[in-house]
Amino acid sequence: RDVYKRQGDALFVLNKTTMAIWAANTRATDLTGYNADELTLMTFPLVGSLPDKVTGARIAHALTSASAGQISKLEVSLIHTLGHTHWVLMQVQPVTLNGEDCLLMACNCIDDRMATLKNLRENEKRLRLTMDNMLEGAQIVGFNWQYLYVNNAVVKQARKTREELLGKIMMDCFPGIEQSAAFSQFERCMARRVPVQMENEFTYPNGDTNWFELRIEPVPEGIFILSVDIQERKMVEQEKARIHETLEEMVDERTRELATANKTLEMFSYSVAHDLRSPLRAIDCYTHILEQEYAAKLDGEGARFLSVIRDNTQRLGKLIDDVLHFAKAGKTILAKEIVNMQQLVHEVYQEQQLLYVSTAVLACDDLLPAMADKALIRLVWENLLSTALTYSTGQQQPVITVTAVVSPIEVTYSVADNGVGFDMKYAEKLFMVFQRLHKQKEYTGSGVGLAIVESIISKHGGRIWAQSSPGRGATFYFTLPLA
């Protein structure tokens, strides 16, 4: 009796025949809202506690079965006298107490479990609604290859109705699918329980094809297949591949044409240079003879004309040489080595100083060595130093300063002079062939030297630029990767 009173379940002792309540514990009064005296005047099912007739009929059937000697279990809801509802797990069984045959009913409150179950069902409903309306196809296939679930996207992708898929065998819906690469991956996931991701070209019964990206995952029922239509993406990829292949063919063709054109141009350049040099040498030679042997027969103006002719023939010869150097610099294959820039600058400067008969002073820092083609870098120094000497000749004391500054990836060399300088708005013309910022009669030069320098530095993977202002000299900078 003590256990009966303290039991966590609501307990009722019923008359086996009339279902009258003989006794009820405290938990029973809490569950129903009736006190013990009120309950002993009532019979089961409790009319005031029933939410509907169906519940009453279910309880009555359970009581009848228990009276016949069976143990009955059922889940029902009961209404409290205050109006709220409790869910209970009800168990009824025949017992004998004090020699009397009766029924013992135990009611365990399962409100928490039913609330959790309700939430699960609502979440499942939301999840199913979400999956049904996903843009991606979602399907569950059982171990016997039966379609257990398909969403709207799968129906569209498969070109079949839901009724034609659900409950049907995959091989019956798509004859021959077991021979496909995708099906072998379905089998692998089904057997080994490992996820698989793949792209698959699916062939429809009418011969149409479509590309899908498949994600296959093992689930308790069998496998879950997520399918994304990638037909448009595949078409774009195929078009890009076609265009890329076409471009490669065009590039190969243009490369061959360019190689042929370069070879022809090279032959033409040397032919022209040779053909031009012959008459130039003749002009220079005969002009020199006139100067030497017929000077007495020429007046001052005639002698001046001969001098102009010789100067221009020599200038044209130098121009031809520079153009050939420019063409050669662009085609030369680099033979890189570690170059002692300090020594090279001093050698080149002494040579250039003799050519220009200059009194310029050279101020040279300790220059870091460079990894470069020595012959081509010598051309760079020759052109930059000759430019500095040319444009600083008018100064009372020409000064040329050569420096080097190192950074983590490159060395920046510079050549500065205190000559006439130039206006920076014309700086873009500096490294163009035949472009000059000063008149020929003021300063000699072919207008090709700096273009040669720019070509060589670019070929080495470096950069070149200049800074200046009129009357304040000019500084040319170029970079080379670290040795």
Side-chain angles (χ1 to χ4, degrees), residues 326 329-332 334 336 371-373 376-377 380 431 450-465 477-481:
F326 178 71
K331 298 195 295 285
T332 301
L334 298 181
K336 288 188 176 182
M371 179 65 74
D373 185 303
L376 292 180
I377 289 300
V380 170
F431 305 105
L450 291 179
I452 294 174
V453 171
E454 195 275 337
S455 176
I456 293 172
I457 296 302
S458 295
K459 200 171 185 67
H460 280 77
R463 299 169 289 118
I464 184 167
W465 68 98
Y477 301 88
F478 69 91
T479 66
L480 291 174

Side-chain angles (χ1 to χ4, degrees), residues 3 21 70 96 149 160 165 218 232 267 293 320 342 371-372 405 429-430 467 482:
V3 171
I21 299 174
Q70 299 178 4
T96 301
Y149 170 77
K160 291 182 180 291
L165 293 173
E232 186 175 343
M267 294 173 62
E293 298 184 10
I320 291 171
Q342 184 80 14
M371 179 65 74
V405 178
K429 295 183 178 182
L430 279 173
Q467 290 182 347
L482 282 178

Side-chain angles (χ1 to χ4, degrees), residues 400-439:
I400 297 174
T401 305
V402 180
T403 63
V405 178
V406 67
S407 75
I409 60 172
E410 62 187 8
V411 181
T412 302
Y413 299 96
S414 68
V415 178
D417 63 64
N418 60 343
V420 295
F422 59 87
D423 194 327
M424 285 297 290
K425 69 181 180 180
Y426 302 115
E428 62 182 20
K429 295 183 178 182
L430 279 173
F431 305 105
M432 298 172 65
V433 181
F434 304 133
Q435 293 294 324
R436 296 172 52 85
L437 303 188
H438 301 86
K439 295 179 181 180

Side-chain angles (χ1 to χ4, degrees), residues 46-113:
L46 299 174
V47 177
S49 299
L50 299 176
D52 50 52
K53 293 181 180 181
V54 175
T55 302
R58 291 180 63 208
I59 294 175
H61 178 73
L63 294 173
T64 302
S65 297
S67 296
Q70 299 178 4
I71 297 176
S72 298
K73 290 183 178 181
L74 70 161
E75 292 179 353
V76 294
S77 58
L78 297 178
I79 300 175
H80 194 274
T81 56
L82 296 178
H84 53 266
T85 301
H86 291 291
W87 276 94
V88 296
L89 173 61
M90 184 179 289
Q91 178 174 308
V92 189
Q93 63 187 69
V95 295
T96 301
L97 296 176
N98 294 331
E100 291 283 345
D101 289 337
C102 55
L103 299 178
L104 178 64
M105 177 184 286
C107 297
N108 179 22
C109 183
I110 56 173
D111 285 343
D112 291 343
R113 196 187 84 187

Side-chain angles (χ1 to χ4, degrees), residues 5 12 48 81 84 99 128 175 180 186 198 204 208 252 278 302 322 330 339 348 370 376 405 456:
K5 289 180 179 180
F12 300 88
T81 56
H84 53 266
R128 180 175 289 271
S180 67
F186 297 162
M198 66 177 297
Y204 293 94
D208 290 348
D252 289 342
S278 294
D322 285 347
V339 179
V348 171
L376 292 180
V405 178
I456 293 172

Side-chain angles (χ1 to χ4, degrees), residues 53-328:
K53 293 181 180 181
V54 175
T55 302
R58 291 180 63 208
I59 294 175
H61 178 73
L63 294 173
T64 302
S65 297
S67 296
Q70 299 178 4
I71 297 176
S72 298
K73 290 183 178 181
L74 70 161
E75 292 179 353
V76 294
S77 58
L78 297 178
I79 300 175
H80 194 274
T81 56
L82 296 178
H84 53 266
T85 301
H86 291 291
W87 276 94
V88 296
L89 173 61
M90 184 179 289
Q91 178 174 308
V92 189
Q93 63 187 69
V95 295
T96 301
L97 296 176
N98 294 331
E100 291 283 345
D101 289 337
C102 55
L103 299 178
L104 178 64
M105 177 184 286
C107 297
N108 179 22
C109 183
I110 56 173
D111 285 343
D112 291 343
R113 196 187 84 187
M114 293 305 289
T116 301
L117 184 60
K118 181 182 179 182
N119 288 335
L120 287 174
R121 286 172 178 167
E122 289 177 350
N123 289 338
E124 182 182 0
K125 183 179 178 181
R126 284 195 295 271
L127 178 61
R128 180 175 289 271
L129 183 63
T130 300
M131 289 184 63
D132 283 345
N133 294 286
M134 282 169 54
L135 295 176
E136 301 86 354
Q139 53 188 295
I140 297 175
V141 180
F143 287 101
N144 62 348
W145 302 106
Q146 185 181 47
Y147 285 106
L148 304 179
Y149 170 77
V150 294
N151 70 352
N152 297 331
V154 167
V155 171
K156 182 179 179 182
Q157 292 172 0
R159 300 181 184 177
K160 291 182 180 291
T161 64
R162 197 179 301 275
E163 291 72 22
E164 290 176 309
L165 293 173
L166 282 178
K168 306 299 189 302
I169 303 300
M170 181 184 286
M171 288 75 85
D172 294 338
C173 295
F174 302 101
I177 194 173
E178 62 271 24
Q179 306 301 324
S180 67
F183 191 82
S184 65
Q185 297 302 321
F186 297 162
E187 288 183 311
R188 179 170 178 265
C189 184
M190 194 82 82
R192 299 185 185 179
R193 315 308 290 161
V194 292
V196 180
Q197 188 166 352
M198 66 177 297
E199 291 183 356
N200 179 62
E201 187 178 26
F202 181 75
T203 303
Y204 293 94
N206 66 353
D208 290 348
T209 59
N210 203 85
W211 278 93
F212 296 96
E213 185 178 303
L214 304 178
R215 176 72 185 183
I216 311 157
E217 298 276 355
V219 292
E221 299 87 346
I223 57 173
F224 172 81
I225 305 171
L226 186 72
S227 53
V228 181
D229 189 328
I230 58 171
Q231 179 68 13
E232 186 175 343
R233 190 184 82 192
K234 277 293 181 180
M235 291 176 65
V236 172
E237 288 177 356
Q238 291 170 0
E239 180 64 15
K240 286 172 65 178
R242 187 190 66 79
I243 293 173
H244 182 69
E245 184 177 350
T246 303
L247 286 174
E248 283 188 338
E249 292 175 356
M250 292 174 63
V251 169
D252 289 342
E253 182 180 353
R254 295 293 186 271
T255 301
R256 288 192 295 271
E257 292 175 355
L258 184 60
T260 303
N262 281 339
K263 187 175 181 180
T264 303
L265 182 61
E266 184 177 355
M267 294 173 62
F268 175 78
S269 297
Y270 283 102
S271 176
V272 168
H274 179 271
D275 292 344
L276 285 176
R277 279 198 181 95
S278 294
L280 278 178
R281 280 195 295 267
I283 294 171
D284 187 58
C285 180
Y286 282 107
T287 306
H288 181 65
I289 292 172
L290 284 173
E291 284 183 332
Q292 294 295 321
E293 298 184 10
Y294 294 90
K297 298 180 180 182
L298 297 174
D299 59 11
E301 190 68 6
R304 188 179 69 81
F305 287 161
L306 288 178
S307 176
V308 170
I309 293 172
R310 288 206 69 194
D311 288 346
N312 279 278
T313 54
Q314 290 172 5
R315 177 168 165 261
L316 183 55
K318 179 65 168 57
L319 183 59
I320 291 171
D321 291 338
D322 285 347
V323 169
L324 289 177
H325 279 310
F326 178 71
K328 185 179 179 181

